[in-house]
Amino acid sequence: WVQWKNRRILDVAARLGAKVRQAHPKARVALNFMYEAASAPQNGLAWLSQSLSEAHRRDFDYYAVMAYHRQMREELGLSLEEVCTLVRRMSLSLYAGARPERAVIKLQIRDWQDASPIPLEEISQVTAAVLEGARGMGVVPNLAVVPYRSAEDLKRLPASLLHPAGAARLRIVGGRRLRQALTWPSPNEP
């Protein structure tokens, strides 16, 4: 049942993506996945009807895993260190997939409850876990930060992510406002 449901959800997403591309040929389509789809694929399928491996068989531009560390800590009852270990494993698994260049890890930079900024040390630990996993597969990871509010949010990210030397290791994927706020990669770059 859940495999059938997952295929139907992906069929609908593919049709919606085709309609979007018909109206806007340069548009990119990303599918959002809950962290369970990468951390515990059987649970992701059973609980959420989400399967990264099935999605890889489709022609979507990006597969975005919502690796929101504070949500994971709360739901799983883990320490930050334990969440970072899980994020590292998720990153390694995601970038070992069929299309690693299309994989995106979404990181939380503001608290969901009060929208306060998450401390830099905490973001740095989670980002390091993503980088470690991606490097284990020899790929440059795509990273999305959420919720992105303004260029002020970018100033709070670890300096290695916003410095040109970091560009060789990491690309930040986001909307037009985010790309325009960055000095690299070029806003014209996909």
Side-chain angles (χ1 to χ4, degrees), residues 20 28 48 55 74 95 117 133 138 143 145 147 149 153 155 162 181:
V20 167
R28 302 241 170 157
L48 307 162
E74 183 178 321
Y95 290 112
L143 175 68
V145 291
R149 304 275 164 103
D153 283 334
K155 291 178 184 172
L162 298 177

Side-chain angles (χ1 to χ4, degrees), residues 109-110 117 147-157 162:
I109 61 170
R110 288 184 172 271
Y148 172 73
R149 304 275 164 103
S150 69
E152 291 300 312
D153 283 334
L154 294 177
K155 291 178 184 172
R156 295 185 322 89
L157 294 177
L162 298 177

Side-chain angles (χ1 to χ4, degrees), residues 35-52:
Y35 66 86
E36 291 91 348
S39 66
Q42 290 178 328
N43 293 343
L45 184 60
W47 300 340
L48 307 162
S49 298
Q50 293 185 336
S51 169
L52 281 164

Side-chain angles (χ1 to χ4, degrees), residues 8-84:
R8 292 301 151 295
I9 290 169
L10 291 173
D11 289 344
V12 169
R15 286 195 304 272
L16 287 171
K19 289 290 186 187
V20 167
R21 286 187 181 117
Q22 187 177 16
H24 304 281
K26 293 183 179 183
R28 302 241 170 157
V29 177
L31 293 182
N32 263 341
F33 290 87
M34 296 298 291
Y35 66 86
E36 291 91 348
S39 66
Q42 290 178 328
N43 293 343
L45 184 60
W47 300 340
L48 307 162
S49 298
Q50 293 185 336
S51 169
L52 281 164
S53 60
E54 185 66 32
H56 284 280
R57 295 185 184 103
R58 309 295 181 105
D59 191 31
F60 296 104
D61 297 305
Y62 294 106
Y63 309 91
V65 174
M66 297 179 279
Y68 304 146
H69 67 284
R70 284 197 172 176
Q71 176 183 350
M72 292 164 55
R73 276 176 54 187
E74 183 178 321
E75 290 178 1
L76 301 174
L78 301 175
S79 68
L80 180 58
E81 291 73 25
E82 291 169 319
V83 167
C84 286

Side-chain angles (χ1 to χ4, degrees), residues 86-96 105 129-131 133-134:
L86 182 58
V87 167
R88 187 176 306 104
R89 285 198 329 254
M90 289 168 52
S91 178
L92 184 63
S93 171
L94 183 63
Y95 290 112
I105 300 243
V130 171
L131 288 171

